[in-house]
Amino acid sequence: MSNQPGTPSLGFNEPLIYDRSCEGRQGCTLPSLDVPEVAPSEVYPENLVREADAALPELSEPEVVRHYTRLSTWNFSVDHGFYPLGSCTMKYNPKINEWAARLPGFAQLHPYTPTSLSQGALALMVELEEMLAEVSGMHAISLQPAAGAHGELTAMMAIRGALTKRGNPRNKVLIPDTAHGTNPATVTLNGYIAESISSSDDGYLSAEAVAAKMTDDVAALMLTNPNTIGLFEKNIRDICDIVHQKGGFVFGDGANLNAIMGKARPGDFGVDAMQFNLHKTFSTPHGGGGPGSGPVGVCKELTPFLPNPRPIRLSDGSFSLQMVPESVGRVRSFYGNFGVMVKAYTYLRELGAAGLTKVSEMAVLNANYLHRLIQDDYHIPFGNGRCMHEVVASDKNLAPTGVTTLDVAKGLIDRGFHPPTVYFPLVVKGALMCEPTETESRETIEEFAQAMIEIAELARTDGDALHRAPQLTRVSRLDEATAARKPILTATK
Ligand SMILES: *Cc1c(COP(=O)(O)O)cnc(C)c1O
């Protein structure tokens, strides 16, 4: 008997909430009105008043609770099981983070509360900035951006600001071919031209490749370290020197910070600006599970360009907000996603410096263990038998069987696992990018590896069975292109 968690179980059907509606049914009752009733048309402009009542569903409280609880069981989450989605760092989110974020003093604080009455929240933000600066070696941090891609955008705005101040914003940004899709998008949104640099045959970016493209019109190099193949860019110091000598900035995509905490700091190896994905590295729910937060860290020269307002610590120990004149302005309403900051702060305080170092050590160890377990069945093109926090395999060995990466991913669903990231990074054909994270036990990694091996064996004996997977889910293969291009977003009633 397999220990794999993918077994058929009670699966609830659930119609649209509108289809459950029953006229006159109520979820709660209110006391009768003790003030004179006023018609909406007496208070609001005519054109804003509804002609008929909104067609809201009418249900009892238990019906509403069951509706949403059932729907929640149709989704997969890290609280269900192993979620090795590479580059996304789907680590377990400790429940104490939620406790802290729900403390009434944080949860019910209105963003317009004057600074004299929101000292605790400001202190938390300033201390979180200080901790992130220490982990990364960056000079200053802004917590305002709402996600990683937004942090990238903000950092590139700061770089444009600094270059403009020096006299020329320049027009190009270099990006290695292993980059995440948000990097070129960020560059384009900032009005720069993205230029791709090929990594070497061994998966690393070479200093020579950067030197060949680093001209006076290049504003920045954007690179991810460890990169998306799961390799630590060993030429990083030379690469940063080359960019700096030509007057450019180095942006470090910080999404893979989980691999290096307590071991290496981007600010120390030459990065001038980076984003943090609090929802990845610092354990807050994401990927449909909640809002993100993408703070940006910068070097001294870029600091005056960080978004306004900046929370600051005053000399008397109290906290305030500061408006800086050269700032790129506001990139988000209020201060950013404050609830996510509380969770990340809690996580950091819980672990401390030694704990964070251990996180990275265990994340790398787990990925390497998985690498060893699957390497006889799956081709692993880069790294010479080693990786950082993620192992990127491919479907090359399965080619004679006709089974592809997509089939492997669907087969994993039937075995109770969320598939890894597939077909990314683009430099690996048929990529299966697995990031187990530090929060998984040895047994879970072994069970996942066993499922991967079982799928490779099945591919050799009955490939068609995999073309038909998944079989244990509510629906089998979806037409993903149509679902993405022509989504049906309205209720039928
Ligand atoms: C997740 C990720 C991003 C984007 O971050 P979001 O928070 O999803 O906007 C950028 N780069 C890499 C390498 C990532 O993994």
Side-chain angles (χ1 to χ4, degrees), residues 94-349:
K95 296 299 170 250
I96 192 164
N97 296 351
E98 304 296 328
W99 165 82
R102 262 191 233 120
L103 288 172
F106 289 136
Q108 290 171 21
L109 191 64
H110 194 281
Y112 279 138
T113 307
T115 54
S116 62
L117 297 175
S118 53
Q119 288 290 301
L122 290 170
L124 182 138
M125 287 193 280
V126 169
E127 284 177 27
L128 178 57
E129 287 183 2
E130 289 165 354
M131 287 191 281
L132 293 176
E134 191 174 331
V135 170
S136 63
M138 302 311 291
H139 182 257
I141 311 283
S142 166
L143 303 172
Q144 214 178 87
H150 196 196
E152 292 174 33
L153 183 78
T154 308
M156 284 306 301
M157 286 162 73
I159 288 174
R160 180 179 271 283
L163 287 170
T164 306
K165 188 179 173 190
R166 282 191 203 163
N168 177 3
R170 305 185 170 199
N171 62 16
K172 277 196 296 196
V173 174
L174 304 178
I175 304 182
D177 52 7
T178 51
H180 193 267
T182 52
N183 293 179
T186 293
V187 167
T188 309
L189 264 177
N190 269 294
Y192 285 115
I193 298 160
E195 191 163 309
S196 177
I197 320 183
S198 304
S199 33
S200 310
D201 291 344
D202 58 5
Y204 294 93
L205 190 62
S206 75
E208 293 72 38
V210 175
K213 297 227 170 185
M214 189 59 216
T215 51
D216 289 344
D217 52 2
V218 172
L221 166 73
M222 283 188 108
L223 92 178
T224 313
N225 195 17
N227 66 23
T228 61
I229 308 176
L231 305 177
F232 188 89
E233 295 285 8
K234 55 188 177 186
N235 311 310
I236 187 71
R237 281 308 294 259
D238 292 342
I239 290 171
C240 292
D241 286 347
I242 290 165
V243 175
H244 291 150
Q245 274 157 20
K246 290 275 182 189
F249 286 96
V250 177
F251 173 84
D253 182 323
N256 292 344
L257 190 64
N258 210 47
I260 58 171
M261 289 185 295
K263 301 290 177 186
R265 304 196 309 165
D268 295 343
F269 56 67
V271 164
D272 302 299
M274 68 177 286
Q275 102 280 9
F276 302 78
N277 299 59
L278 293 191
H279 45 289
K280 294 180 181 173
T281 317
F282 302 104
S283 83
T284 80
H286 63 293
S293 176
V296 40
V298 293
C299 64
K300 205 167 176 184
E301 186 182 349
L302 296 174
T303 299
F305 301 94
L306 288 177
N308 271 334
R310 310 242 327 105
I312 49 160
R313 188 196 294 273
L314 300 174
S315 53
D316 67 358
S318 67
F319 299 89
S320 186
L321 291 168
Q322 189 184 40
M323 299 296 272
V324 273
E326 285 174 312
S327 166
V328 298
R330 199 184 256 294
V331 297
R332 177 70 168 73
S333 54
F334 306 117
Y335 313 103
N337 283 330
F338 181 70
V340 182
M341 296 170 204
V342 179
K343 295 178 202 180
Y345 176 90
T346 309
Y347 180 78
L348 276 154
R349 289 295 303 266

Side-chain angles (χ1 to χ4, degrees), residues 388-407:
M388 293 292 289
H389 61 303
E390 58 198 5
V391 50
V392 182
S394 88
D395 58 2
K396 188 174 172 191
N397 292 352
L398 303 178
T401 70
V403 166
T404 63
T405 284
L406 189 68
D407 300 323

